[in-house]
Amino acid sequence: MRRTSRKVCWPLSTCLVVMTLAACTSSGRSDQGGAHEPGPTASPTAIPSAPPSIDGSAPEPCTAPVDVLPEPPADYRLVGEDVAVPDRAVLEAQESGEADPAARLFAKWGLVVRGGAVIDLRVAPGWEDRARVGWGSATVPAVTAHIRACAPVDAGPQWLAFAGGTWVARAACLPLTIRSRGQAAQVRLGVGASCEGTDPPRS
């Protein structure tokens, strides 16, 4: 049975990015395992593409974004220099319809990455059997996610938004590790439950 998903706008001057992110979910399905819902037309801002490499070989393809922003949304927080995540106490989690028991609940949210950055994001050690992550046009729940944000198409600052989210076996404070520019940063996200009063993830 298909269930409808809720779409909540971020407090920005425009809700376009969130509306677009809400239309994209895991494995091309809706939040609850139904058919993919058509979303509104993407922002008219030019989406950067991978430039040709100097030696003429095919470059690593960029991860397909859903929008380009001049800066992260107001209700997001920076993790390191290149990534922004929701600054909310709890991310709403719903039944995902996934067969993987580690991906029973899904919290939909957009990952925002600085243009030109290449990041690797993974669930913290000890969480491999109870959490998954994924962003991009062909999102598949996995322990790790690799995102290559194409370089800006002009001189202005650009942040790319990617549709996806986090899956958990049960509501939890999920620790994640983000690597960029040879540096690692950790962040905790409340997926269906608050992180208040819980221990921080191990280094």
Side-chain angles (χ1 to χ4, degrees):
M1 179 182 297
R2 178 181 177 182
R3 305 180 182 87
T4 59
S5 61
R6 296 177 58 192
K7 300 179 180 179
V8 182
C9 290
W10 302 331
L12 293 170
S13 59
T14 172
C15 294
L16 178 58
V17 176
V18 175
M19 292 173 66
T20 307
L21 294 177
C24 301
T25 56
S26 65
S27 304
R29 299 190 301 272
S30 68
D31 291 356
Q32 308 307 313
H36 177 68
E37 298 179 5
T41 302
S43 166
T45 305
I47 301 296
S49 59
S53 61
I54 296 176
D55 61 5
S57 62
E60 178 187 1
C62 297
T63 306
V66 293
D67 208 348
V68 178
L69 311 169
E71 59 186 18
D75 61 343
Y76 267 48
R77 55 180 162 140
L78 284 175
V79 181
E81 298 182 42
D82 299 324
V83 177
V85 302
D87 191 20
R88 298 198 294 272
V90 179
L91 298 168
E92 182 180 357
Q94 300 180 1
E95 293 286 340
S96 69
E98 296 285 348
D100 183 354
R104 185 177 66 86
L105 300 177
F106 176 59
K108 176 177 55 185
W109 55 277
L111 183 69
V112 178
V113 179
R114 188 186 299 275
V118 178
I119 69 164
D120 289 288
L121 192 151
R122 64 169 296 132
V123 301
W127 285 78
E128 293 88 351
D129 61 346
R130 46 181 167 158
R132 301 287 184 263
V133 294
W135 290 271
S137 58
T139 303
V140 176
V143 172
T144 63
H146 178 75
I147 303 291
R148 181 180 187 270
C150 281
V153 296
D154 55 40
Q158 288 186 356
W159 292 79
L160 278 61
F162 300 93
T166 45
W167 293 259
V168 290
R170 60 183 59 85
C173 176
L174 175 62
L176 301 174
T177 300
I178 300 173
R179 294 186 179 276
S180 177
R181 307 189 194 196
Q183 301 295 319
Q186 293 186 322
V187 62
R188 295 186 298 161
L189 296 174
V191 183
S194 173
C195 287
E196 184 177 357
T198 60
D199 293 331
R202 298 190 300 272
S203 300

